[in-house]
Amino acid sequence: MESALRCGDCVVLCRSQSMSKESRMRATINQKLTEMGERERLKEILRAKLTECGWKDQMKAHCKEVIKEKGLEHVTVEDLMVEITPKGRALVPDSVKKELLHRIRAFLSQHAT
Amino acid sequence: MKMEDMPLSGPDNTKLEALVHDIYSELVEDACLGLCFEVHRAVKQGYFFLDETDQESMKEFEIVDQPGVDIFGQVYNQWKNKECECPNCKRLIAASRFAPHLEKCLGMGRNSSRIANRRLASNNNMSKSESDQEDNDDLNDNDWSYGAEKKAKKRKSDKNQNSPRRSKSLKHKNGELGSSISTEPYKYNYSTGISYESLGPDEVRSLLSTQCGVISEHTKKMCTRSQRCPQHTDEQRRAVRVFLLGPSAPPLPDTDPVVESDSFDIPDGQTLMSRLQWEDSPDISPADSASSKTSTNHSDSRKPKKKKRTSLSLNSGGGGGGGGGGVGVSLTGGCSSGSSSQSNISLSTKKKRPKLTGPSISSIYDDLN
């Protein structure tokens, strides 16, 4: 659901920009990713891989630290996102990143026209 | 892939790469967002920190990995009694005994279905007698626990209990065959012996030539053991032979022993009586217990009588002058007023008495038990 929303946002964003060729291409690719179900598939793969390689546990430990700093009562999703996302990006193993990029490229090469 | 991308324009290639990375970072952010939702929910629901405690307790409950100790650091006790609750009868049963009990309780085993069916039936009938049932069950459990060995023992003991009687009945048959008297069964009491009243003189004679033949006080039956039977003395046997076939008295099968027992105020009758009461019947019924009591009373009251008796016998020995011959007691219907039961004999029997009453009483107890 979030992804759909985000996709919509992106589309809106793209549309709100000057409808250049590039942004139009982005919009169509995003749409295709969602329509073909490839986005969900990629997400699922990523989640499995991250759980598998211990990324999730590391992130949880990091979350704990953050929450302890802030106090249990003052935790919001937005704060967590701000604190966590940079670390999340950094902690993704190279192999997982490579595989995911490969898959995205394959999809694009098939559908980018 | 790049080759495939090549058909696109040159700057498109880099743009496409940027697009790919954008999509990737989008995905990673999405995963992070998912995790954040998860963690946030866990925090708000209060289960996020459940899996970790403070360091002290973490150390305290660390998994112990040492030989001879379980993971909690406790010494493993092999013989600790573990108990399980039977789902059927709700009793606590030692774990080692649980399987056999269950087999019996549920009635799944070979031998147990019968017991279990009985149990179930009786439980349906009356749930009151559950405690009794459980007691029975305990017994049966014990029976089961040691297997067939104990069972066999039990049976053996049963047999031993029954054995005197059985052997006796066997001996009756043997005596019957050996002496080849009339085979009419009513003459043979199944437990004690032969009712001599119904026998003819020849039969009695042949019987006495092979068997002990001492007449019991209670049952009025003759002993069917061999002539060396340990329960009776030679004198008793002799007395019976004199009584039944003796030369002084013609064999009178119809002689009622009650008369004799009534006439035991005479010392000879008394001695005979005391002899007769030693010959105890194995099956003392409650009805007989009265007579046995009287006999015991009699034996108790014998002690004060002793002096009297000795004096009497001395008197009789002096006055009677040995009319009846030296063969001890001759008890005919007239009851031997002049019978010289010599003081020697009476004394000797008195001497023997304690020795004799010991085993006879014990045998009574055995039989009662």
Side-chain angles (χ1 to χ4, degrees):
Chain A
M1 266 210 298
E2 328 150 7
S3 64
L5 276 175
R6 203 111 47 88
C7 182
D9 285 348
C10 189
V11 169
V12 168
L13 198 81
C14 292
R15 290 224 175 115
S16 68
Q17 282 174 355
S18 62
M19 298 292 277
S20 66
K21 187 186 168 189
E22 185 198 330
S23 58
R24 233 184 294 138
M25 196 183 75
R26 253 173 208 269
T28 49
I29 284 174
N30 270 323
Q31 199 181 343
K32 274 204 174 174
L33 270 174
T34 310
E35 276 174 5
M36 310 264 308
E38 183 68 12
R39 189 188 291 277
E40 282 301 314
R41 222 170 295 143
L42 288 172
K43 253 195 263 181
E44 198 56 49
I45 288 165
L46 181 66
R47 206 176 295 149
K49 294 264 175 199
L50 289 180
T51 309
E52 201 174 276
C53 70
W55 177 87
K56 201 174 175 180
D57 290 335
Q58 282 174 296
M59 292 299 286
K60 268 196 176 175
H62 186 61
C63 281
K64 269 174 198 170
E65 286 168 24
V66 171
I67 291 164
K68 272 179 190 169
E69 273 175 31
K70 292 203 170 205
L72 211 69
E73 297 301 316
H74 312 290
V75 178
T76 60
V77 181
E78 289 78 15
D79 290 344
L80 271 180
M81 271 303 281
V82 172
E83 296 274 347
I84 275 175
T85 310
K87 187 146 193 180
R89 281 183 204 279
L91 281 177
V92 176
D94 278 348
S95 61
V96 177
K97 185 177 177 176
K98 260 185 196 166
E99 189 183 338
L100 219 69
L101 288 175
H102 179 79
R103 277 174 175 270
I104 297 166
R105 264 188 215 117
F107 181 81
L108 288 187
S109 66
Q110 278 177 10
H111 300 282
T113 44
Chain B
M1 201 173 290
K2 299 249 169 167
M3 297 300 286
E4 282 177 10
D5 288 343
M6 283 312 280
L8 297 168
S9 57
D12 271 0
N13 201 5
T14 55
K15 279 178 188 172
L16 211 71
E17 272 301 301
L19 186 61
V20 166
H21 277 274
D22 277 355
I23 292 169
Y24 162 73
S25 61
E26 214 175 85
L27 287 171
V28 171
E29 269 179 38
D30 196 83
C32 284
L33 188 66
L35 188 79
C36 282
F37 278 131
E38 198 177 297
V39 169
H40 184 258
R41 179 178 165 78
V43 168
K44 293 301 174 191
Q45 297 276 334
Y47 61 84
F48 187 60
F49 292 106
L50 280 185
D51 58 339
E52 72 165 30
T53 53
D54 52 329
Q55 292 298 313
E56 275 182 37
S57 51
M58 283 297 277
K59 252 180 200 171
E60 193 182 333
F61 297 111
E62 210 173 10
I63 291 175
V64 180
D65 186 15
Q66 287 168 5
V69 171
D70 65 2
I71 61 162
F72 303 109
Q74 295 160 343
V75 178
Y76 175 63
N77 190 357
Q78 200 180 357
W79 305 110
K80 198 175 177 184
N81 241 351
K82 297 264 185 337
E83 294 204 321
C84 318
E85 188 186 342
C86 173
N88 195 28
C89 64
K90 305 280 185 261
R91 287 170 58 213
L92 286 178
I93 291 127
S96 58
R97 302 267 322 109
F98 185 63
H101 166 81
L102 205 63
E103 185 186 28
K104 204 158 51 52
C105 193
L106 293 177
M108 308 287 262
R110 276 181 299 125
N111 301 325
S112 56
S113 56
R114 186 173 45 83
I115 303 165
N117 286 336
R118 204 180 55 210
R119 260 177 63 90
L120 284 176
S122 57
N123 275 347
N124 286 340
N125 286 342
M126 36 184 176
S127 57
K128 264 187 192 175
S129 62
E130 209 172 70
S131 58
D132 291 348
Q133 292 285 332
E134 280 170 8
D135 288 345
N136 285 336
D137 199 49
D138 266 343
L139 285 175
N140 291 332
D141 268 355
N142 285 335
D143 211 27
W144 267 90
S145 65
Y146 299 107
E149 190 184 309
K150 205 171 180 184
K151 238 180 187 174
K153 265 188 193 170
K154 229 182 179 180
R155 277 180 189 162
K156 241 186 215 170
S157 65
D158 283 348
K159 268 182 188 171
N160 282 337
Q161 270 186 354
N162 292 335
S163 63
R165 213 161 281 176
R166 280 188 194 173
S167 63
K168 210 169 270 176
S169 63
L170 278 176
K171 272 186 182 172
H172 293 167
K173 279 173 190 171
N174 287 340
E176 182 185 353
L177 290 172
S179 60
S180 71
I181 336 163
S182 65
T183 53
E184 288 153 299
Y186 66 88
K187 284 174 186 172
Y188 296 91
N189 193 310
Y190 65 96
S191 62
T192 50
I194 303 162
S195 55
Y196 59 90
E197 288 112 324
S198 57
L199 296 177
D202 292 341
E203 288 168 341
V204 167
R205 191 164 287 129
S206 61
L207 205 95
L208 286 178
S209 65
T210 54
Q211 294 176 356
C212 171
V214 173
I215 298 161
S216 163
E217 183 200 12
H218 301 297
T219 58
K220 314 284 188 288
K221 300 284 160 56
M222 295 169 77
C223 176
T224 53
R225 293 188 193 85
S226 72
Q227 285 184 323
R228 295 272 139 231
C229 114
Q231 221 170 35
H232 307 108
T233 60
D234 285 340
E235 280 154 31
Q236 281 177 300
R237 279 190 274 275
R238 214 178 298 138
V240 166
R241 274 157 185 70
V242 169
F243 166 55
L244 289 175
L245 321 160
S248 62
L252 288 172
D254 292 333
T255 311
D256 200 354
V258 176
V259 178
E260 302 157 16
S261 60
D262 282 340
S263 64
F264 63 67
D265 49 347
I266 298 155
D268 298 332
Q270 209 170 13
T271 53
L272 180 65
M273 272 310 299
S274 53
R275 280 168 193 161
L276 284 175
Q277 84 195 9
W278 301 332
E279 200 276 321
D280 38 53
S281 57
D283 53 345
I284 293 177
S285 60
D288 280 345
S289 67
S291 65
S292 66
K293 253 182 200 170
T294 57
S295 68
T296 50
N297 286 338
H298 176 65
S299 62
D300 284 340
S301 62
R302 209 183 292 146
K303 276 195 174 178
K305 271 186 182 175
K306 252 183 192 175
K307 287 171 185 173
K308 236 199 256 174
R309 222 168 98 204
T310 47
S311 65
L312 270 173
S313 59
L314 280 172
N315 286 338
S316 67
V327 205
V329 195
S330 67
L331 263 184
T332 54
C335 270
S336 72
S337 59
S339 78
S340 71
S341 80
Q342 291 117 346
S343 56
N344 292 335
I345 287 178
S346 61
L347 279 170
S348 67
T349 52
K350 256 182 244 161
K351 274 173 196 167
K352 273 181 187 174
R353 203 164 291 142
K355 197 178 151 194
L356 281 166
T357 46
S360 67
I361 282 170
S362 67
S363 66
I364 283 175
Y365 283 133
D366 284 347
D367 289 325
L368 281 175
N369 288 334

